[in-house]
Amino acid sequence: MHFRAMTERFGAIFAAALLFVTIPVWAQEFKLGDLAIEHPWSRETPAGAKVAAGYLIIKNGSAMPDRLVSATADIAGKVEFHEMRVTDGVMSMRQLDGGVEIPANGEARFEPGGYHLMFKDLKRRTVKGDKIAGTLTFEKAGTVAVEFAVDAMGGDDHGNHGG
């Protein structure tokens, strides 16, 4: 075998191995019927923080919409649904009392600057590498256990969340 062919083959094998090794934890997915809950994550919290946010993507493979109606997290006294929005250059956040609709054959994205879960009355600080156990309850599909991966405080180790 020629040296060039060997190095190209080795390079391809090395690249494939590197990709496998660097596939991050955020690739986690949880299923509940036609719903797929992808990449649940949060950021580490500073000492003394009383709130944190949770992010994820919920995909609905059904021809019928569903609604996320409640959630829990083992680190929080309660979990609320919030939406951040910018109107005329002013950012605001509001609580969504009725839950969040997951459209038929569609998705709802909970991400920084938009929908998110608000973990309130924190019981402890979270640090990068932690896992937060929780549940999501849907109007039609029922309840599913999920786990949120905790990233560094200043960033988003989850890239573009598979998008």
Side-chain angles (χ1 to χ4, degrees):
M1 185 177 277
H2 289 81
F3 179 74
R4 181 176 175 176
M6 284 177 44
T7 57
E8 286 175 357
R9 183 171 292 178
F10 175 75
I13 292 169
F14 178 75
L18 184 60
L19 176 64
F20 177 75
V21 170
T22 60
I23 292 174
V25 174
W26 57 262
Q28 67 201 38
E29 180 177 304
F30 302 88
K31 296 284 288 173
L32 178 64
D34 290 324
L35 299 176
I37 295 89
E38 298 179 350
H39 324 308
W41 67 282
S42 185
R43 289 192 178 116
E44 67 183 340
T45 55
K50 297 296 179 196
V51 298
Y55 308 103
L56 54 117
I57 301 167
I58 304 170
K59 293 185 176 182
N60 183 358
S62 170
M64 298 295 295
D66 206 337
R67 178 171 291 279
L68 179 61
V69 294
S70 68
T72 66
D74 67 350
I75 63 161
K78 76 188 234 185
V79 178
E80 297 174 350
F81 306 120
H82 285 214
E83 179 183 26
M84 291 187 76
R85 177 179 288 194
V86 177
T87 306
D88 297 327
V90 178
M91 182 174 283
S92 63
M93 183 170 62
R94 68 182 180 108
Q95 183 177 346
L96 304 171
D97 292 324
V100 176
E101 182 171 313
I102 317 304
N105 297 309
E107 67 181 28
R109 289 182 168 265
F110 291 71
E111 54 195 3
Y115 291 129
H116 57 278
L117 302 178
M118 183 64 74
F119 303 142
K120 298 187 87 170
D121 304 324
L122 294 183
K123 300 174 184 176
R124 64 176 171 82
R125 179 175 187 232
T126 61
V127 296
K128 182 178 178 175
D130 280 355
K131 302 291 185 200
I132 300 169
T135 62
L136 303 173
T137 301
F138 297 88
E139 190 173 71
K140 296 175 183 156
T143 300
V144 62
V146 296
E147 191 173 73
F148 294 81
V150 178
D151 284 345
M153 192 179 306
D156 170 5
D157 290 345
H158 295 296
N160 67 3
H161 301 280

